[in-house]
Amino acid sequence: DIIHVFCGFILYYFSLDIVLRFMFQDLPTLSVQPYLVQNIRRRELVRFLNIRSLFTFLNMLPLLLFIPFSIRVIGAKYGFAGSSVFLISILSLTVFNHFFSLYIKRKTIINNWWLVGFLLAVVLVGCCDYWKLFSIRDASAALFTPFLHKPWLCLAPVVLGIAAFMNNNRFLEKNLYLEELKKSSGKKQSAEYAWLQRFGELGDLMGMDLKMILRNKRTRYVLFISILILLYGFIFYKPQYLQHNQYSSLLIGAIFVTGVFIINYGNFLFAWQSAQFDGLMTFNINIRMYIKSKFLLFNMVSTLSLFVASLYGFISWKIIPLQLAAYFYNIGINTVIAGYFATRSYRGINLGRAASFNYQGMGAAQWIYALVVMLPPFIIYGLFTLVAPSWVGVAVLGFLGLVSFLLQDWWIGIITKEFLKRKYLILEGFRQK
């Protein structure tokens, strides 16, 4: 039954839809200060902001995808009533996804643990479906097929959509002044991430990076790719590799899964902020602290990736020590390589441009960086496997990474000196349009 099969994929669509919204949909903004001094109710401002936010491509896409099927297939079998009920359900869930993703993004700005919870929920649902603990497709078919036989069931998604809209309204009414207070209060920029305040100046600098990542297209794309590659373990961790201890093949996946953010974000470590770099360098910023904040960001994201990727241990226990060795190599050695090459990158980046097939900022340093990041671990592993078992090469990689990580303050000092030598070359290069 084609309708039953089609209904089985609807939850997959909305699951992907909410992830895409979280990564790429901008928060609707409005400078409320000019309106607050006029005779306009806060509730009206919030309602206007929410209704205006509905007119986006991601909300129009379901119309293109589901209306033809609803009219040609569902309408032919269940008539106008069945087709209408199906479309009402789809549109209601679209509204729910829209306002739910906006709510999560706004809560993430206030408390970054919401981001961690959201990512863990996405990974957990994906893993449960992959390991067949439950089937999203079967659940989707069981949820949507009854709507065609019992039209009154469409009230459930309608209620969900209305509830998401009202919840978003209530949140904005309580926090209507939030953006204005952040702009005018003169508080340090990490105030949006309360958990960073314990790090002092280091936390302020990390907060700048996090806001930049979440608010710009190209950096959001890097974050999206880093999350997506967490699933690449299903591609690299083949049963035949595990059975025959072919660690060279497994090592590729382990380095990418635990360190792809370091590799991608580190490729343009300073260039991400090229548009504001002149102003940034005029602030009273300790350069050593600035570079240390980059390392701390790398360490935190890589640690979170390791924590999520540890779920691959359910496939085989051998994956755990392999990923741990790759993790230490990434935070101990690849972070240093990223910092060193960043002091030799003089090309700026426009963060507002699309990320796909965008080679802006790429130069000789970036291509050499890619080789230096990927080749040494396999050379080291290969040399040791010539005279010892495969696991020795993996252990050596992890040990070298751990030693380098313990010397991270020393490395930061070296990179700081390199940065200060080339500071004005970097500034001049970033000014070129």
Side-chain angles (χ1 to χ4, degrees), residues 80-317:
F80 177 77
S83 176
S84 300
V85 165
F86 183 81
L87 278 179
I88 289 171
S89 302
I90 293 298
L91 292 177
S92 299
L93 288 175
T94 301
V95 171
F96 171 80
N97 266 18
H98 174 78
F99 287 114
F100 179 73
S101 65
L102 292 182
Y103 177 75
I104 294 295
K105 289 182 78 167
R106 287 183 172 122
K107 293 292 285 185
T108 296
I109 291 173
I110 297 173
N111 187 342
N112 220 44
W113 282 108
W114 281 81
L115 173 62
V116 176
F118 176 80
L119 295 180
L120 288 178
V122 170
V123 172
L124 183 62
V125 170
C127 290
C128 288
D129 184 66
Y130 179 82
W131 289 318
K132 302 190 185 305
L133 297 179
F134 65 80
S135 172
I136 294 178
R137 184 170 59 181
D138 292 345
S140 181
L143 282 172
F144 289 96
T145 305
F147 290 170
L148 304 174
H149 303 285
K150 300 175 182 178
W152 59 270
L153 289 175
C154 78
L155 291 174
V158 170
V159 169
L160 280 177
I162 293 173
F165 176 82
M166 293 177 64
N167 180 59
N168 218 49
N169 264 12
R170 189 179 303 110
F171 178 82
L172 280 179
E173 285 178 16
K174 291 180 179 178
N175 299 278
L176 187 61
Y177 297 101
L178 188 62
E179 283 299 320
E180 288 301 323
L181 287 173
K182 285 173 189 171
K183 292 176 184 176
S184 61
S185 65
K187 290 184 179 179
K188 293 184 178 180
Q189 295 179 346
S190 66
E192 291 188 4
Y193 306 99
W195 58 279
L196 287 176
Q197 291 181 353
R198 71 186 67 176
F199 297 106
E201 183 182 357
L202 204 58
D204 297 333
L205 294 168
M206 281 185 62
M208 289 171 58
D209 270 302
L210 288 174
K211 286 193 291 185
M212 179 190 65
I213 290 170
L214 295 174
R215 293 179 179 181
N216 294 282
K217 291 181 181 179
R218 196 161 173 184
T219 46
R220 283 204 304 266
Y221 182 77
V222 169
L223 183 61
F224 174 71
I225 291 297
S226 301
I227 295 169
L228 184 64
I229 287 182
L230 284 173
L231 303 176
Y232 272 38
F234 295 119
I235 298 174
F236 288 107
Y237 300 151
K238 298 292 186 182
Q240 58 268 30
Y241 299 156
L242 292 164
Q243 290 172 4
H244 300 291
N245 295 331
Q246 295 179 0
Y247 291 126
S248 59
S249 303
L250 299 170
L251 197 58
I252 300 173
I255 288 176
F256 269 108
V257 166
T258 60
V260 67
F261 180 80
I262 295 173
I263 296 169
N264 283 340
Y265 192 75
N267 204 9
F268 305 103
L269 189 59
F270 303 140
W272 296 119
Q273 296 171 311
S274 58
Q276 298 85 31
F277 214 67
D278 273 327
L280 192 64
M281 290 297 104
T282 62
F283 295 161
N284 186 22
I285 291 177
N286 184 317
I287 297 299
R288 181 186 178 90
M289 199 68 71
Y290 173 69
I291 293 172
K292 189 173 183 178
S293 72
K294 306 290 187 184
F295 276 70
L296 184 57
L297 179 66
F298 284 154
N299 295 342
M300 293 179 69
V301 175
S302 190
T303 302
L304 181 60
S305 299
L306 175 70
F307 176 73
V308 175
S310 64
L311 294 171
Y312 286 118
F314 288 107
I315 297 176
S316 171
W317 67 268

Side-chain angles (χ1 to χ4, degrees), residues 248 251 375-397 400:
S248 59
L251 197 58
L375 288 181
F378 297 101
I379 293 173
I380 295 169
Y381 171 81
L383 289 174
F384 277 91
T385 52
L386 292 176
V387 295
S390 298
W391 64 266
V392 174
V394 175
V396 168
L397 276 180
L400 291 175

Side-chain angles (χ1 to χ4, degrees), residues 325-345:
Y327 163 76
F328 281 125
Y329 184 86
N330 279 315
I331 65 171
I333 296 177
N334 277 345
T335 52
V336 176
I337 294 172
Y340 182 80
F341 274 87
T343 63
R344 284 155 173 77
S345 177

Side-chain angles (χ1 to χ4, degrees), residues 58 170 182 287 322 346 361 387 407 415 422 431:
L58 286 173
R170 189 179 303 110
K182 285 173 189 171
I287 297 299
L322 189 71
Y346 310 130
V387 295
L407 296 172
I415 294 170
R422 296 170 175 81
R431 293 188 194 111

